[in-house]
Amino acid sequence: MSDPAPTSTAPAPLPARAGAIRFRRVLLPGAVATALAAVLLAPLPQATAADDAYYQDAQGKTGAPLKQALHAIISEDTTQLTYSQVWEALKVTDADPARPGNVVLLYSGISRSASSNGGNTGQWNREHVWPQSHGGFGTAPGPGTDLHHLRPEDVQVNSARGNKDFDEGGSPVANAPGNYTDADSWEPRDAVKGDVARMVFYMAVRYEGGDGFADLELNDTAGNGSVPYLGRLSVLKEWHEQDPPDAAEKRRNDVIFEDYQNNRNPFIDHPEWVEAIW
C-alpha cells in the first residue's frame, strides 16, 4: 500500500487498568518520540500479579470458552487509534534500540530512519499482518488501526506480500532475505515467524464480528482472497512453537498496553493458550 506521511500526534496517555503495573510514559510526537524510543525499549520487569489480574476471567478455561473469555478481556475499555496516529505509534513500538531514531522493519529486518515513512521507494509504510482485504475492514479505527498487527515495512516488500496468506515455500523475496513467496502465500524470516503467528492469533480472538467488523477466523488454507479468513493455521502453530516470544516482542506488547490501546496480546503472555484454543 502506498500512502502519504501525514503529520500527527500520539494519543493521550491512558488511565491505569485495575491490577496493571505502571511504567514510565514518554509520549511525544515526531522526532522527539523517535529519539526516546530506545529508552522505551529498555527491559521491563515481568508482573505476575498484574498478569493474573488481567487474565483472571480466562484462568482454567480451554477451547471456545477460553477464546470467548479472552475476547471479552482484550476488547474491554480499549482505545482505538486513527490511521494517522499509527505512524507515530510505530516509531515507538518498533524502534531500533541499537539505533535511536530508526525503526526495525518486520519482514526485511533492516533498520531504517523512522522519519522515512511514506509511500515511495526506499521508505517504509504500515503493513497489516492480517490483510485488510481478509475481512474488508480498511483503515478505519478498529482492526485497520490495531497496533497488535500493524508493523513498519519497506514499501516494496509490503507490496510484494500484498494480501497473501502465510505458508512455507516459494521464491526468495527481493530486499527481504529469508522471506519466500509464491502466488498465494508468504513465508517470513525465521526470527519473526512466531511474532507473525501470534499477531494473527490475536486478531482472530479480538474481532469476532460483534463490533461492526467481520468475524476474523483462521483456517488451514492458502489463497483465501477477500473472505475474512487467514491461513495456514497448522503452519502458524508450528511457527509459534519454533519461535517463542522474545524480550522485544514482550516489550512491544507492554508499550501497546500501557501507552496506546489498553489491551494485550494474550498469546505473547500465555503461549500455551494457542494449543488450548486451536
Side-chain angles (χ1 to χ4, degrees):
M1 175 187 298
S2 296
D3 42 12
T7 300
S8 62
T9 58
L14 301 172
R17 183 188 289 252
I21 284 182
R22 309 304 298 162
F23 304 121
R24 184 183 178 190
R25 298 168 183 264
V26 183
L27 288 179
L28 297 173
V32 178
T34 61
L36 292 174
V39 175
L40 284 173
L41 287 182
L44 291 176
Q46 295 301 305
T48 302
D51 180 272
D52 289 345
Y54 185 76
Y55 291 117
Q56 62 181 350
D57 292 340
Q59 301 298 336
K61 295 181 171 68
T62 60
L66 174 59
K67 189 170 185 270
Q68 293 165 4
L70 291 176
H71 169 73
I73 291 167
I74 65 177
S75 302
E76 181 184 3
D77 298 329
T78 60
T79 295
Q80 294 180 338
L81 279 67
T82 68
Y83 201 44
S84 294
Q85 288 172 331
V86 169
W87 283 122
E88 295 302 321
L90 292 179
K91 294 174 184 179
V92 177
T93 60
D94 291 79
D96 184 348
R99 299 186 65 183
N102 279 25
V103 293
V104 178
L105 307 186
L106 175 64
Y107 301 130
S108 54
I110 66 173
S111 180
R112 181 165 293 172
S113 172
S115 62
S116 184
N117 58 305
N120 299 321
T121 300
Q123 293 184 313
W124 63 269
N125 58 5
R126 297 159 288 190
E127 154 71 346
H128 290 78
V129 177
W130 189 293
Q132 299 173 42
S133 63
H134 290 240
F137 49 76
T139 59
T145 65
D146 195 317
L147 289 173
H148 283 296
H149 85 119
L150 282 162
R151 301 295 291 266
E153 188 48 68
D154 174 80
V155 169
Q156 291 176 294
V157 175
N158 193 349
S159 178
R161 189 271 162 125
N163 71 344
K164 295 175 181 178
D165 292 84
F166 293 104
D167 201 356
E168 295 181 339
S171 302
V173 177
N175 303 319
N179 293 256
Y180 299 89
T181 190
D182 57 22
D184 60 11
S185 71
W186 184 271
E187 178 182 353
R189 59 193 175 100
D190 290 346
V192 298
K193 278 185 165 70
D195 305 54
V196 165
R198 286 179 285 276
M199 283 186 273
V200 298
F201 294 148
Y202 162 88
M203 293 292 285
V205 171
R206 171 65 181 87
Y207 299 99
E208 294 279 39
D211 50 7
F213 297 105
D215 179 5
L216 306 183
E217 296 293 344
L218 294 163
N219 63 15
D220 211 34
T221 300
N224 279 297
S226 60
V227 297
Y229 302 109
L230 190 66
R232 294 184 183 269
L233 175 58
S234 58
V235 173
L236 290 163
K237 288 175 65 177
E238 290 177 4
W239 292 351
H240 168 66
E241 293 293 333
Q242 294 166 4
D243 175 35
D246 60 18
E249 190 180 358
K250 293 175 182 177
R251 163 45 104 148
R252 189 178 196 274
N253 197 26
D254 291 335
V255 171
I256 293 172
F257 171 60
E258 285 293 320
D259 293 334
Y260 292 100
Q261 294 185 181
N262 203 34
N263 72 345
R264 304 185 65 82
N265 182 332
F267 305 107
I268 296 173
D269 297 325
H270 286 274
E272 72 277 10
W273 281 344
V274 171
E275 188 61 34
I277 293 174
W278 290 285

